[in-house]
Amino acid sequence: MQEISSDVIRGYNDTMILYLLLENPSYGYEISKQIKKLTDEKYVIKETTLYSAFTRMENNGYVESFSQDAENGKRRTYYRITGKGKEYYQEKCDEWFLTKDVVEAFIIKNQNKEN
């Protein structure tokens, strides 16, 4: 199975993380599992990438962190999306559609097309 390059997807890590926080707060390990599952294991986010994204997004006001006891009694850091984060998520979605249109102009759409 082909995996996607982290260089290609780097600009959309925030988008994926924010998407997963739209419904409910979550914590790092659960978010990384969800990304892996939703991409059919084509993309596995590295722990350092995930936590640097959390830090950056928290500094920008897109997410906020809070501590909470997990079911096993262990204290975890959870993240929730903010109003500013929801706006940023929408901007990134709009940007994706534009990016997709631009890149598709350079992708061979029909492999059988004669030159």
Side-chain angles (χ1 to χ4, degrees), residues 6 26 47 53 84 90 101 112 114:
S6 59
S26 192
E47 189 174 329
K84 189 175 179 181
Q90 189 56 57
D101 286 346
N112 298 325
E114 291 185 49

Side-chain angles (χ1 to χ4, degrees), residues 94-110:
D94 295 343
E95 177 186 88
W96 164 250
F97 289 110
L98 177 60
T99 302
K100 183 176 170 285
D101 286 346
V102 169
V103 173
E104 279 185 348
F106 299 93
I107 302 296
I108 298 172
K109 293 182 173 141
N110 183 351

